[in-house]
Amino acid sequence: MSVTASRLPRTARGVLWFLHLLVAGLLVLAAGRAVAGGGAHAWLVVAVAACLALTYAGGLLVAPVRTSRRAARVWLAAVSTVWLVFLAVSADGVWLAFPLYFLQLHLLPRRAGVVAVLATAVAAITGFAAHAGTLTLAIAVGPTLGAAVAITVVRGYQALYRESERRRQLIEELTATRAGLAAAQHTAGMLAERERLAREIHDTLAQGLSSIQLLLRAAERALPDTAQIAARHVAQARQAAVDNLAEARRFVAALSPPALANAGLAEALEQLCTTTTGRHRVTAHFHQTGEPVPLPTATEIALLRIAQSALANVVRHADAATVDVTLSYLGDQVALDVVDDGTGFDPTQTTATEPGSGGYGLTAMRARAQALGGTLTIEAAAGAGTALAVQVPTRTGVRP
């Protein structure tokens, strides 16, 4: 009995304990009526009532009955047998049929429980009729109605309990799904932030440090002969370090680049060309065509980063004398072209993951353009220079 009661909600366990108290009360009442009536079999009724009480109490006190469904059913059979004896010696035994219905429906399988209830009802009607000496409608109605009520109540409760369990499982599944979705979003956010940092580091700090390395190498070569030239290279290297420190502080805080903080995209690109010309052995020219229109901050940042990365590749790999940077406003599109007269390269032979090859720079530039809904194309050939063209919409809400 208790093996199943321990799995039920508190309300159901309370109902079971109410049935236990009801059985005890009815047994006391039946024994009391027998003693008060003073019949010839009064003490027999009391003895059988006591035996039934002890048998019933065994289900609450004996461990196997409380832990094994099979033992609980054996206990129920013993209780039912003693009840039949009690019904045979006292008509008041018919009262105990009602709590017995609930125990049978609770402990037995679905169909077996209904069969047991109907058999108990027939036994109650037969026993009571035998004591009364006749079978009337009133005698049959009580046990029959009690059986119908017990079956309806228990089956209704079981249906509600199953629905409650189904909803509980559904809620648990939804909660688990929500937790999984939150974890996936968190992971996606972390990966996106790592990708952003990787692009920023490549397009700013890595290129700046490469520039510092080239300037210091030039200073090292110039030191034995011309200290003035060496001092100029060292000063440029120091300024590059200052600029890249500002870049680091800005992208860690997810702010706009310093070049865009107080100027527009065109001014920032022109300043980039001036800085490149002053620091390296290449002349960078800036051009602007079309009617300028306001651009989203994300678009300006992406185009500036692409220009920085492209010029850094020209300085490191192209061995070019000149490079032209052109910003073109084409209605609902804006284009950025970077064309150099260097040695060129074969785009199909660039390994995207090869360190130092510039491959990651090309991948990052293309990713920035695609994130804005735009395109990036490269035209290059060995010995014929390189042309990089980016075209993106003038209106976009995507962060680079």
Side-chain angles (χ1 to χ4, degrees):
M1 175 187 54
S2 297
V3 67
T4 53
S6 61
R7 300 175 186 174
L8 295 177
R10 181 179 302 176
T11 302
R13 293 197 297 269
V15 171
L16 286 178
W17 279 105
F18 174 77
L19 289 177
H20 301 333
L21 295 176
L22 179 60
V23 169
L26 291 176
L27 285 173
V28 171
L29 179 60
R33 279 170 51 86
V35 173
H41 304 289
W43 293 109
L44 179 60
V45 172
V46 173
V48 177
C51 182
L52 180 56
L54 291 175
T55 305
Y56 191 92
L60 306 178
L61 302 176
V62 178
V65 175
R66 291 186 287 110
T67 57
S68 170
R69 182 181 293 274
R70 182 176 181 180
R73 291 173 180 172
V74 171
W75 166 82
L76 177 61
V79 170
S80 300
T81 301
V82 179
W83 171 75
L84 289 174
V85 175
F86 184 65
L87 181 62
V89 299
S90 174
D92 293 341
V94 72
W95 298 339
L96 293 167
F98 188 71
L100 198 57
Y101 294 155
F102 285 94
L103 290 178
Q104 291 166 340
L105 291 171
H106 175 61
L107 293 177
L108 298 177
R110 187 180 185 88
R111 292 183 180 178
V114 174
V115 171
V117 167
L118 295 177
T120 301
V122 171
I125 294 171
T126 302
F128 193 75
H131 286 286
T134 182
L135 176 62
T136 63
L137 181 61
I139 292 176
V141 166
T144 303
L145 185 59
V149 170
I151 292 173
T152 302
V153 170
V154 171
R155 290 295 175 259
Y157 174 79
Q158 290 175 344
L160 290 175
Y161 180 72
R162 287 193 298 270
E163 179 66 18
S164 175
E165 283 295 294
R166 189 187 68 80
R167 292 188 179 184
R168 181 185 62 79
Q169 293 175 0
L170 179 61
I171 291 174
E172 290 179 352
E173 292 175 0
L174 290 175
T175 302
T177 302
R178 181 179 298 177
L181 180 60
Q185 290 176 340
H186 177 69
T187 301
M190 287 184 8
L191 293 176
E193 183 63 12
R194 288 178 182 176
E195 183 179 355
R196 181 186 77 85
L197 291 176
R199 289 199 304 262
E200 296 290 348
I201 290 173
H202 179 275
D203 294 344
T204 57
L205 299 184
Q207 306 294 0
L209 293 174
S210 177
S211 177
I212 293 172
Q213 181 184 17
L214 293 175
L215 291 170
L216 291 177
R217 186 177 298 170
E220 184 180 16
R221 291 196 299 266
L223 272 176
D225 301 323
T226 52
Q228 184 176 3
I229 296 177
R232 178 169 60 84
H233 287 319
V234 170
Q236 291 175 344
R238 186 177 68 253
Q239 184 59 44
V242 171
D243 293 343
N244 279 271
L245 179 60
E247 289 282 4
R249 289 171 175 167
R250 288 280 180 164
F251 80 70
V252 168
L255 299 176
S256 301
L260 292 175
N262 300 310
L265 177 60
E267 291 81 359
L269 291 174
E270 185 174 8
Q271 179 61 38
L272 176 62
C273 290
T274 301
T275 302
T276 301
T277 300
R279 293 179 179 176
H280 305 287
R281 296 178 180 180
V282 60
T283 302
H285 302 285
F286 174 71
H287 312 280
Q288 177 179 316
T289 63
E291 184 67 24
V293 296
L295 298 175
T297 301
T299 302
E300 291 188 339
I301 294 175
L303 292 176
L304 177 60
R305 294 304 191 209
I306 291 173
Q308 288 174 330
S309 186
L311 288 178
N313 285 342
V314 171
V315 171
R316 293 175 60 188
H317 306 296
D319 192 24
T322 61
V323 57
D324 292 286
V325 178
T326 304
L327 179 65
S328 304
Y329 292 93
L330 309 172
D332 60 349
Q333 300 282 318
V334 59
L336 176 68
D337 297 281
V338 181
V339 182
D340 67 71
D341 60 356
T343 57
F345 70 99
D346 184 358
T348 62
Q349 299 299 318
T350 300
T351 302
T353 58
E354 181 182 352
S357 68
Y360 181 79
L362 296 177
T363 301
M365 285 188 281
R366 182 170 284 107
R368 287 183 183 276
Q370 292 175 347
L372 294 171
T375 59
L376 181 145
T377 57
I378 297 176
E379 296 181 3
T386 303
L388 180 147
V390 179
Q391 188 166 320
V392 298
T394 57
R395 291 295 174 187
T396 177
V398 181
R399 182 171 178 158

